[in-house]
Amino acid sequence: MENFSTVEFIFLSGLQEVKNNRLVYFAFTLLTYLLIISVNLTLIVTIAMEKTLHEPMYIFLCNLSANSLYGTTGFYPKILLDLLSDVHVISYNFCLIQIYVIYTSVLCETPILTAMAYDRYVAICRPLEYHTVMTPLMVKTMLFFAWCVPLSWLVITTLCTFRLPLCGSHIDKLYCDNWSVVKLSCVPTTLNNILGYIIIIFEITQALFTLYSYCCIVRVCLKSKEGRSKFMQTCLPHLIAMVNFMIATLFDVMYNRYGSNRLPLTLRNIMAVEFLVIPPLLNPIIYGLNLQKVRRSLFRFCDRHKVTPRSFKRNVS
């Protein structure tokens, strides 16, 4: 379909209240982004290098961290540039790319978390069948759908947005999101609405399946002291992170569609970027580095690659 939009640039007005403290916000944002890169890369490298961690749960963790790195690249480089600039503008084509990257990351995160919940359900509720159910083929199939379905679905959604002729060029956010662009359309957006509701229903269905898995896990774990300890160590952090992620993304989607501009801009900005700050930063810590097996593997990996003065002299000579 031909794109009749004459809009070449989108103006972002989410930073209009931080002009006097731009350097402070820049330093904080840069530090946050560097921490996100550091903790996620640490977890990925540890799992990739340690053969003892080549198990379904840790493979899912590795993909979760990779998805965090992918999604945050759609937000942080642009916001860092905007914090150093007086004009916050983005080309329309790059706006669509940003929409695609951020929201494919969101849509990939949910099935990965769902796969992790199912893995824990089988491990705790059906331990004798674990190796029969969670085969390498099963893990590959789950990861294939976790990545390929959202990536393909967002291609359709983004193309449906691209075809819309726009009558405006201002978005009251820190970054481009699909519904804000759709609201600039000069024509009815029924198809975009339908696609949006399908995605929301699909995400809620996965969240309900995840919660059901954890309900089954809790029912089994409460029967023994050892089971309660296992749940507190491995499953409770997963559940907390999942609930936090779903609440943040659901708020962002619902506010974009039905929210009021009467809320302070600062509060709207915080809620809009919460899923781009908290989960990418805390997930590798809560899910991975908090697990004893991952910590031991990380320490062993660091010990093996530690450069001592004697080894350095030997390598130089």
Side-chain angles (χ1 to χ4, degrees):
M1 286 176 280
E2 183 180 358
N3 179 32
F4 294 98
S5 173
T6 57
V7 172
E8 296 183 5
F9 296 96
I10 299 292
F11 295 89
L12 306 171
S13 57
L15 289 175
Q16 60 187 7
E17 292 186 359
V18 302
K19 293 181 179 179
N20 297 328
N21 299 296
R22 285 189 300 174
L23 292 180
V24 175
Y25 283 102
F26 175 84
F28 178 77
T29 304
L30 179 61
L31 177 62
T32 302
Y33 189 37
L34 292 177
L35 283 173
I36 288 173
I37 294 174
S38 299
V39 293
N40 283 284
L41 276 181
T42 298
L43 185 60
I44 291 172
V45 171
T46 302
I47 293 173
M49 298 299 292
E50 288 292 329
K51 292 184 179 180
T52 57
L53 297 179
H54 293 179
E55 300 175 5
M57 183 173 117
Y58 302 108
I59 293 173
F60 292 140
L61 280 173
C62 189
N63 279 266
L64 190 67
S65 288
N67 182 57
S68 294
L69 291 176
Y70 162 70
T72 51
T73 57
F75 171 71
Y76 282 93
K78 172 58 179 166
I79 193 68
L80 288 169
L81 289 175
D82 285 345
L83 287 168
L84 297 177
S85 173
D86 293 325
V87 180
H88 310 135
V89 65
I90 184 172
S91 70
Y92 181 59
N93 290 333
F94 191 79
C95 178
L96 293 176
I97 292 173
Q98 187 177 54
I99 289 170
Y100 182 81
V101 172
I102 290 177
Y103 285 96
T104 48
S105 175
V106 171
L107 294 185
C108 287
E109 182 122 345
T110 307
I112 294 174
L113 290 172
T114 303
M116 292 171 63
Y118 181 70
D119 174 77
R120 291 300 84 202
Y121 163 76
V122 177
I124 294 175
C125 301
R126 300 161 57 186
L128 298 179
E129 304 174 35
Y130 182 78
H131 293 291
T132 304
V133 175
M134 297 304 296
T135 61
L137 178 60
M138 180 66 168
V139 173
K140 291 176 183 177
T141 302
M142 295 173 80
L143 288 175
F144 175 81
F145 282 103
W147 285 100
C148 291
V149 172
L151 291 172
S152 303
W153 188 256
L154 257 295
V155 168
I156 299 172
T157 303
T158 307
L159 287 176
C160 287
T161 301
F162 177 71
R163 73 180 175 85
L164 297 173
L166 305 184
C167 291
S169 59
H170 289 265
I171 294 178
D172 192 21
K173 289 193 74 170
L174 297 172
Y175 57 89
C176 288
D177 73 272
N178 188 64
W179 189 245
S180 294
V181 174
V182 170
K183 287 192 292 187
L184 299 176
S185 173
C186 307
V187 298
T189 58
T190 304
L191 179 60
N192 298 77
N193 280 328
I194 293 173
L195 290 174
Y197 284 121
I198 291 174
I199 291 174
I200 292 172
I201 293 171
F202 186 64
E203 292 293 291
I204 291 176
T205 301
Q206 291 180 90
L208 292 175
F209 177 80
T210 303
L211 292 175
Y212 172 76
S213 298
Y214 281 117
C215 287
C216 296
I217 292 171
V218 170
R219 197 161 54 239
V220 172
C221 288
L222 291 179
K223 295 179 181 179
S224 67
K225 185 177 180 180
E226 182 183 354
R228 287 194 295 271
S229 176
K230 184 184 294 186
F231 174 78
M232 294 296 292
Q233 182 183 6
T234 62
C235 297
L236 186 60
H238 296 194
L239 184 59
I240 293 173
M242 178 71 180
V243 171
N244 170 72
F245 175 76
M246 292 306 302
I247 290 175
T249 52
L250 192 61
F251 173 86
D252 184 60
V253 171
M254 291 295 104
Y255 183 82
N256 283 339
R257 287 176 175 267
Y258 310 112
S260 168
N261 289 330
R262 288 179 295 180
L263 284 177
L265 180 60
T266 302
L267 178 60
R268 279 183 276 148
N269 285 341
I270 291 173
M271 295 304 297
V273 302
E274 200 270 349
F275 70 93
L276 291 166
V277 177
I278 304 302
L281 187 59
L282 294 186
N283 279 353
I285 298 174
I286 292 176
Y287 283 106
L289 302 179
N290 188 45
L291 297 178
Q292 191 175 21
K293 191 172 180 179
V294 175
R295 286 203 307 272
R296 285 201 303 264
S297 298
L298 177 60
F299 293 148
R300 283 200 305 269
F301 177 77
C302 292
D303 287 339
R304 286 202 303 267
H305 294 79
K306 183 168 62 177
V307 179
T308 62
R310 181 176 301 177
S311 65
F312 178 76
K313 290 178 181 178
R314 188 164 55 247
N315 290 333
V316 170
S317 60

Short mmCIF file of all heavy atoms in Angstrom, two decimals, residues 108-122 125 142 202-218 231 235-246 287:
data_model
loop_
_atom_site.label_atom_id
_atom_site.label_comp_id
_atom_site.label_asym_id
_atom_site.label_seq_id
_atom_site.Cartn_x
_atom_site.Cartn_y
_atom_site.Cartn_z
N CYS A 108 8.65 -10.27 22.87
CA CYS A 108 9.52 -11.45 23.04
C CYS A 108 9.72 -11.79 24.51
O CYS A 108 9.90 -12.96 24.86
CB CYS A 108 10.88 -11.20 22.39
SG CYS A 108 10.89 -11.24 20.59
N GLU A 109 9.70 -10.77 25.35
CA GLU A 109 9.96 -11.00 26.78
C GLU A 109 8.90 -11.89 27.41
O GLU A 109 9.21 -12.80 28.19
CB GLU A 109 10.02 -9.66 27.52
CG GLU A 109 10.33 -9.79 28.99
CD GLU A 109 11.57 -9.02 29.39
OE1 GLU A 109 12.33 -8.62 28.50
OE2 GLU A 109 11.77 -8.82 30.59
N THR A 110 7.65 -11.67 27.08
CA THR A 110 6.56 -12.43 27.70
C THR A 110 6.65 -13.93 27.41
O THR A 110 6.57 -14.74 28.34
CB THR A 110 5.20 -11.88 27.27
OG1 THR A 110 5.15 -10.48 27.52
CG2 THR A 110 4.07 -12.55 28.03
N PRO A 111 6.81 -14.37 26.15
CA PRO A 111 6.91 -15.82 25.91
C PRO A 111 8.17 -16.44 26.52
O PRO A 111 8.16 -17.61 26.90
CB PRO A 111 6.90 -15.95 24.39
CG PRO A 111 7.23 -14.61 23.87
CD PRO A 111 6.74 -13.64 24.86
N ILE A 112 9.27 -15.67 26.61
CA ILE A 112 10.46 -16.21 27.26
C ILE A 112 10.19 -16.43 28.75
O ILE A 112 10.55 -17.47 29.31
CB ILE A 112 11.67 -15.27 27.06
CG1 ILE A 112 12.07 -15.23 25.58
CG2 ILE A 112 12.87 -15.74 27.89
CD1 ILE A 112 13.16 -14.21 25.25
N LEU A 113 9.54 -15.46 29.39
CA LEU A 113 9.17 -15.62 30.80
C LEU A 113 8.18 -16.78 30.97
O LEU A 113 8.24 -17.51 31.95
CB LEU A 113 8.57 -14.32 31.33
CG LEU A 113 9.53 -13.14 31.49
CD1 LEU A 113 8.75 -11.87 31.84
CD2 LEU A 113 10.58 -13.42 32.55
N THR A 114 7.27 -16.93 30.01
CA THR A 114 6.32 -18.03 30.06
C THR A 114 7.04 -19.37 29.94
O THR A 114 6.71 -20.34 30.65
CB THR A 114 5.28 -17.89 28.94
OG1 THR A 114 4.62 -16.62 29.07
CG2 THR A 114 4.24 -19.00 29.02
N ALA A 115 8.02 -19.45 29.03
CA ALA A 115 8.81 -20.67 28.87
C ALA A 115 9.57 -21.00 30.16
O ALA A 115 9.66 -22.17 30.56
CB ALA A 115 9.77 -20.52 27.70
N MET A 116 10.10 -19.98 30.82
CA MET A 116 10.80 -20.20 32.09
C MET A 116 9.85 -20.71 33.16
O MET A 116 10.21 -21.59 33.95
CB MET A 116 11.46 -18.89 32.54
CG MET A 116 12.61 -18.44 31.65
SD MET A 116 13.20 -16.78 32.05
CE MET A 116 13.79 -17.05 33.72
N ALA A 117 8.64 -20.17 33.19
CA ALA A 117 7.66 -20.64 34.17
C ALA A 117 7.28 -22.09 33.91
O ALA A 117 7.15 -22.89 34.85
CB ALA A 117 6.41 -19.75 34.11
N TYR A 118 7.12 -22.44 32.64
CA TYR A 118 6.78 -23.83 32.31
C TYR A 118 7.92 -24.76 32.66
O TYR A 118 7.70 -25.87 33.17
CB TYR A 118 6.45 -23.95 30.82
CG TYR A 118 6.06 -25.35 30.40
CD1 TYR A 118 4.85 -25.89 30.80
CD2 TYR A 118 6.92 -26.13 29.63
CE1 TYR A 118 4.48 -27.17 30.43
CE2 TYR A 118 6.57 -27.42 29.25
CZ TYR A 118 5.36 -27.94 29.65
OH TYR A 118 5.00 -29.21 29.30
N ASP A 119 9.15 -24.31 32.43
CA ASP A 119 10.32 -25.11 32.79
C ASP A 119 10.35 -25.39 34.29
O ASP A 119 10.60 -26.52 34.73
CB ASP A 119 11.60 -24.38 32.36
CG ASP A 119 12.86 -25.08 32.84
OD1 ASP A 119 13.24 -26.09 32.23
OD2 ASP A 119 13.46 -24.62 33.84
N ARG A 120 10.07 -24.37 35.09
CA ARG A 120 10.04 -24.56 36.56
C ARG A 120 8.87 -25.44 36.98
O ARG A 120 8.98 -26.22 37.92
CB ARG A 120 9.93 -23.20 37.26
CG ARG A 120 11.16 -22.31 37.15
CD ARG A 120 12.40 -22.94 37.75
NE ARG A 120 13.08 -23.84 36.82
CZ ARG A 120 13.90 -24.83 37.18
NH1 ARG A 120 14.12 -25.06 38.45
NH2 ARG A 120 14.47 -25.60 36.28
N TYR A 121 7.74 -25.31 36.27
CA TYR A 121 6.58 -26.16 36.58
C TYR A 121 6.91 -27.64 36.36
O TYR A 121 6.63 -28.48 37.21
CB TYR A 121 5.40 -25.74 35.70
CG TYR A 121 4.31 -26.78 35.63
CD1 TYR A 121 3.42 -26.96 36.68
CD2 TYR A 121 4.17 -27.60 34.49
CE1 TYR A 121 2.42 -27.92 36.62
CE2 TYR A 121 3.18 -28.55 34.43
CZ TYR A 121 2.31 -28.72 35.49
OH TYR A 121 1.33 -29.68 35.43
N VAL A 122 7.54 -27.94 35.23
CA VAL A 122 7.89 -29.34 34.95
C VAL A 122 8.94 -29.83 35.94
O VAL A 122 8.86 -30.96 36.45
CB VAL A 122 8.40 -29.50 33.50
CG1 VAL A 122 8.83 -30.94 33.24
CG2 VAL A 122 7.32 -29.08 32.51
N CYS A 125 6.90 -29.85 39.60
CA CYS A 125 5.65 -30.61 39.69
C CYS A 125 5.73 -31.97 39.00
O CYS A 125 4.98 -32.88 39.35
CB CYS A 125 4.50 -29.79 39.10
SG CYS A 125 4.22 -28.21 39.92
N MET A 142 10.38 -23.77 21.66
CA MET A 142 9.86 -22.67 22.49
C MET A 142 10.57 -21.36 22.18
O MET A 142 9.93 -20.31 22.09
CB MET A 142 10.00 -23.04 23.97
CG MET A 142 9.15 -24.24 24.39
SD MET A 142 9.47 -24.78 26.08
CE MET A 142 8.51 -23.59 27.00
N PHE A 202 -3.35 -11.70 23.43
CA PHE A 202 -2.30 -12.72 23.37
C PHE A 202 -1.35 -12.59 24.55
O PHE A 202 -0.96 -13.59 25.17
CB PHE A 202 -1.54 -12.57 22.05
CG PHE A 202 -0.53 -13.66 21.81
CD1 PHE A 202 -0.92 -14.98 21.67
CD2 PHE A 202 0.83 -13.36 21.73
CE1 PHE A 202 0.01 -15.99 21.45
CE2 PHE A 202 1.76 -14.35 21.51
CZ PHE A 202 1.36 -15.67 21.37
N GLU A 203 -0.98 -11.35 24.90
CA GLU A 203 -0.07 -11.12 26.02
C GLU A 203 -0.73 -11.50 27.35
O GLU A 203 -0.10 -12.12 28.22
CB GLU A 203 0.36 -9.65 26.06
CG GLU A 203 1.25 -9.23 24.91
CD GLU A 203 2.61 -9.89 24.95
OE1 GLU A 203 3.40 -9.57 25.85
OE2 GLU A 203 2.88 -10.76 24.10
N ILE A 204 -1.99 -11.13 27.52
CA ILE A 204 -2.70 -11.46 28.76
C ILE A 204 -2.87 -12.96 28.91
O ILE A 204 -2.73 -13.52 30.00
CB ILE A 204 -4.07 -10.74 28.79
CG1 ILE A 204 -3.86 -9.22 28.93
CG2 ILE A 204 -4.92 -11.26 29.94
CD1 ILE A 204 -5.14 -8.43 28.86
N THR A 205 -3.13 -13.66 27.80
CA THR A 205 -3.26 -15.12 27.83
C THR A 205 -1.98 -15.77 28.32
O THR A 205 -1.99 -16.69 29.15
CB THR A 205 -3.63 -15.65 26.43
OG1 THR A 205 -4.86 -15.05 26.01
CG2 THR A 205 -3.79 -17.17 26.46
N GLN A 206 -0.85 -15.31 27.80
CA GLN A 206 0.44 -15.85 28.24
C GLN A 206 0.68 -15.56 29.72
O GLN A 206 1.20 -16.41 30.45
CB GLN A 206 1.58 -15.26 27.41
CG GLN A 206 1.58 -15.71 25.96
CD GLN A 206 2.72 -15.10 25.20
OE1 GLN A 206 3.81 -15.66 25.13
NE2 GLN A 206 2.49 -13.94 24.61
N ALA A 207 0.33 -14.35 30.16
CA ALA A 207 0.51 -14.00 31.57
C ALA A 207 -0.34 -14.89 32.47
O ALA A 207 0.13 -15.34 33.53
CB ALA A 207 0.16 -12.53 31.79
N LEU A 208 -1.58 -15.16 32.05
CA LEU A 208 -2.45 -16.04 32.84
C LEU A 208 -1.90 -17.46 32.89
O LEU A 208 -1.96 -18.12 33.94
CB LEU A 208 -3.86 -16.03 32.25
CG LEU A 208 -4.64 -14.70 32.38
CD1 LEU A 208 -5.97 -14.79 31.66
CD2 LEU A 208 -4.85 -14.35 33.85
N PHE A 209 -1.36 -17.95 31.77
CA PHE A 209 -0.75 -19.27 31.76
C PHE A 209 0.44 -19.33 32.71
O PHE A 209 0.62 -20.32 33.44
CB PHE A 209 -0.30 -19.62 30.34
CG PHE A 209 0.40 -20.96 30.24
CD1 PHE A 209 -0.33 -22.14 30.21
CD2 PHE A 209 1.79 -21.02 30.20
CE1 PHE A 209 0.32 -23.37 30.14
CE2 PHE A 209 2.44 -22.24 30.11
CZ PHE A 209 1.70 -23.42 30.08
N THR A 210 1.23 -18.26 32.74
CA THR A 210 2.38 -18.20 33.64
C THR A 210 1.93 -18.21 35.10
O THR A 210 2.49 -18.95 35.93
CB THR A 210 3.20 -16.93 33.37
OG1 THR A 210 3.61 -16.92 31.99
CG2 THR A 210 4.43 -16.86 34.26
N LEU A 211 0.92 -17.41 35.41
CA LEU A 211 0.40 -17.38 36.78
C LEU A 211 -0.17 -18.73 37.18
O LEU A 211 0.00 -19.17 38.33
CB LEU A 211 -0.65 -16.28 36.91
CG LEU A 211 -0.14 -14.84 36.79
CD1 LEU A 211 -1.31 -13.86 36.83
CD2 LEU A 211 0.85 -14.52 37.91
N TYR A 212 -0.85 -19.40 36.26
CA TYR A 212 -1.38 -20.73 36.55
C TYR A 212 -0.25 -21.71 36.85
O TYR A 212 -0.35 -22.53 37.78
CB TYR A 212 -2.20 -21.24 35.37
CG TYR A 212 -2.64 -22.68 35.51
CD1 TYR A 212 -3.69 -23.03 36.37
CD2 TYR A 212 -1.99 -23.70 34.79
CE1 TYR A 212 -4.07 -24.35 36.51
CE2 TYR A 212 -2.38 -25.02 34.93
CZ TYR A 212 -3.41 -25.35 35.79
OH TYR A 212 -3.79 -26.66 35.95
N SER A 213 0.85 -21.62 36.08
CA SER A 213 2.00 -22.50 36.33
C SER A 213 2.55 -22.28 37.73
O SER A 213 2.87 -23.24 38.45
CB SER A 213 3.10 -22.23 35.28
OG SER A 213 2.65 -22.51 33.98
N TYR A 214 2.64 -21.02 38.13
CA TYR A 214 3.16 -20.73 39.46
C TYR A 214 2.19 -21.15 40.56
O TYR A 214 2.61 -21.53 41.66
CB TYR A 214 3.52 -19.25 39.58
CG TYR A 214 4.85 -18.93 38.94
CD1 TYR A 214 4.94 -18.06 37.87
CD2 TYR A 214 6.03 -19.52 39.42
CE1 TYR A 214 6.16 -17.77 37.28
CE2 TYR A 214 7.24 -19.22 38.83
CZ TYR A 214 7.31 -18.36 37.76
OH TYR A 214 8.52 -18.08 37.17
N CYS A 215 0.89 -21.09 40.29
CA CYS A 215 -0.08 -21.59 41.28
C CYS A 215 0.12 -23.08 41.51
O CYS A 215 0.09 -23.56 42.65
CB CYS A 215 -1.50 -21.31 40.79
SG CYS A 215 -1.99 -19.58 40.88
N CYS A 216 0.36 -23.82 40.43
CA CYS A 216 0.63 -25.26 40.55
C CYS A 216 1.93 -25.50 41.31
O CYS A 216 2.02 -26.41 42.15
CB CYS A 216 0.71 -25.91 39.16
SG CYS A 216 -0.84 -25.87 38.23
N ILE A 217 2.93 -24.68 41.06
CA ILE A 217 4.21 -24.81 41.75
C ILE A 217 4.05 -24.55 43.23
O ILE A 217 4.58 -25.29 44.08
CB ILE A 217 5.25 -23.85 41.13
CG1 ILE A 217 5.59 -24.29 39.71
CG2 ILE A 217 6.52 -23.80 41.98
CD1 ILE A 217 6.45 -23.29 38.94
N VAL A 218 3.31 -23.50 43.58
CA VAL A 218 3.10 -23.16 44.99
C VAL A 218 2.39 -24.30 45.71
O VAL A 218 2.74 -24.67 46.84
CB VAL A 218 2.28 -21.85 45.10
CG1 VAL A 218 1.84 -21.63 46.54
CG2 VAL A 218 3.11 -20.67 44.62
N PHE A 231 11.12 -22.90 46.21
CA PHE A 231 10.24 -21.90 45.62
C PHE A 231 10.74 -20.49 45.92
O PHE A 231 10.78 -19.62 45.03
CB PHE A 231 8.82 -22.06 46.15
CG PHE A 231 7.88 -20.98 45.69
CD1 PHE A 231 7.35 -21.02 44.41
CD2 PHE A 231 7.55 -19.93 46.53
CE1 PHE A 231 6.49 -20.01 43.98
CE2 PHE A 231 6.70 -18.93 46.10
CZ PHE A 231 6.16 -18.97 44.83
N CYS A 235 11.72 -19.51 42.26
CA CYS A 235 10.44 -19.18 41.61
C CYS A 235 9.88 -17.83 42.03
O CYS A 235 9.30 -17.12 41.20
CB CYS A 235 9.42 -20.28 41.89
SG CYS A 235 9.90 -21.87 41.20
N LEU A 236 10.00 -17.48 43.31
CA LEU A 236 9.43 -16.21 43.77
C LEU A 236 10.03 -15.02 43.04
O LEU A 236 9.28 -14.12 42.62
CB LEU A 236 9.60 -16.08 45.28
CG LEU A 236 8.92 -14.84 45.90
CD1 LEU A 236 7.42 -14.87 45.65
CD2 LEU A 236 9.22 -14.76 47.40
N PRO A 237 11.37 -14.95 42.86
CA PRO A 237 11.92 -13.83 42.08
C PRO A 237 11.38 -13.79 40.67
O PRO A 237 11.11 -12.69 40.13
CB PRO A 237 13.43 -14.10 42.09
CG PRO A 237 13.66 -14.95 43.29
CD PRO A 237 12.44 -15.78 43.43
N HIS A 238 11.20 -14.95 40.04
CA HIS A 238 10.64 -15.00 38.69
C HIS A 238 9.23 -14.40 38.68
O HIS A 238 8.88 -13.61 37.80
CB HIS A 238 10.55 -16.45 38.20
CG HIS A 238 11.88 -17.12 38.05
ND1 HIS A 238 12.04 -18.30 37.37
CD2 HIS A 238 13.12 -16.76 38.47
CE1 HIS A 238 13.31 -18.64 37.40
NE2 HIS A 238 13.99 -17.73 38.07
N LEU A 239 8.44 -14.79 39.66
CA LEU A 239 7.05 -14.34 39.72
C LEU A 239 6.97 -12.83 39.94
O LEU A 239 6.18 -12.13 39.29
CB LEU A 239 6.32 -15.08 40.84
CG LEU A 239 4.82 -14.80 40.98
CD1 LEU A 239 4.08 -15.16 39.71
CD2 LEU A 239 4.25 -15.59 42.16
N ILE A 240 7.80 -12.31 40.84
CA ILE A 240 7.82 -10.87 41.11
C ILE A 240 8.21 -10.09 39.86
O ILE A 240 7.58 -9.08 39.51
CB ILE A 240 8.78 -10.55 42.28
CG1 ILE A 240 8.24 -11.14 43.59
CG2 ILE A 240 8.98 -9.04 42.42
CD1 ILE A 240 9.20 -11.02 44.75
N ALA A 241 9.26 -10.55 39.18
CA ALA A 241 9.71 -9.87 37.97
C ALA A 241 8.65 -9.92 36.88
O ALA A 241 8.44 -8.95 36.15
CB ALA A 241 11.01 -10.49 37.48
N MET A 242 7.97 -11.06 36.75
CA MET A 242 6.92 -11.21 35.74
C MET A 242 5.76 -10.25 36.01
O MET A 242 5.27 -9.57 35.10
CB MET A 242 6.42 -12.66 35.75
CG MET A 242 5.30 -12.94 34.77
SD MET A 242 5.88 -12.93 33.06
CE MET A 242 4.37 -13.29 32.17
N VAL A 243 5.32 -10.18 37.27
CA VAL A 243 4.21 -9.30 37.62
C VAL A 243 4.59 -7.85 37.38
O VAL A 243 3.80 -7.06 36.85
CB VAL A 243 3.78 -9.54 39.08
CG1 VAL A 243 2.79 -8.48 39.53
CG2 VAL A 243 3.18 -10.93 39.25
N ASN A 244 5.81 -7.48 37.77
CA ASN A 244 6.28 -6.11 37.57
C ASN A 244 6.30 -5.75 36.08
O ASN A 244 5.83 -4.68 35.68
CB ASN A 244 7.69 -5.96 38.15
CG ASN A 244 8.33 -4.63 37.76
OD1 ASN A 244 7.95 -3.58 38.24
ND2 ASN A 244 9.31 -4.69 36.87
N PHE A 245 6.80 -6.66 35.26
CA PHE A 245 6.87 -6.40 33.82
C PHE A 245 5.49 -6.27 33.21
O PHE A 245 5.23 -5.35 32.42
CB PHE A 245 7.65 -7.54 33.14
CG PHE A 245 7.68 -7.43 31.64
CD1 PHE A 245 8.51 -6.52 31.02
CD2 PHE A 245 6.87 -8.24 30.86
CE1 PHE A 245 8.54 -6.42 29.63
CE2 PHE A 245 6.89 -8.16 29.48
CZ PHE A 245 7.73 -7.24 28.87
N MET A 246 4.57 -7.15 33.59
CA MET A 246 3.23 -7.12 33.01
C MET A 246 2.47 -5.86 33.43
O MET A 246 1.77 -5.25 32.62
CB MET A 246 2.45 -8.37 33.42
CG MET A 246 2.97 -9.66 32.82
SD MET A 246 3.10 -9.63 31.01
CE MET A 246 1.42 -9.27 30.52
N TYR A 287 17.02 -13.10 38.26
CA TYR A 287 16.90 -14.42 37.66
C TYR A 287 18.21 -15.20 37.66
O TYR A 287 18.22 -16.40 37.88
CB TYR A 287 16.45 -14.30 36.19
CG TYR A 287 14.99 -14.01 36.00
CD1 TYR A 287 14.56 -12.76 35.61
CD2 TYR A 287 14.04 -15.00 36.18
CE1 TYR A 287 13.22 -12.49 35.41
CE2 TYR A 287 12.70 -14.74 35.98
CZ TYR A 287 12.30 -13.49 35.59
OH TYR A 287 10.97 -13.22 35.39
#
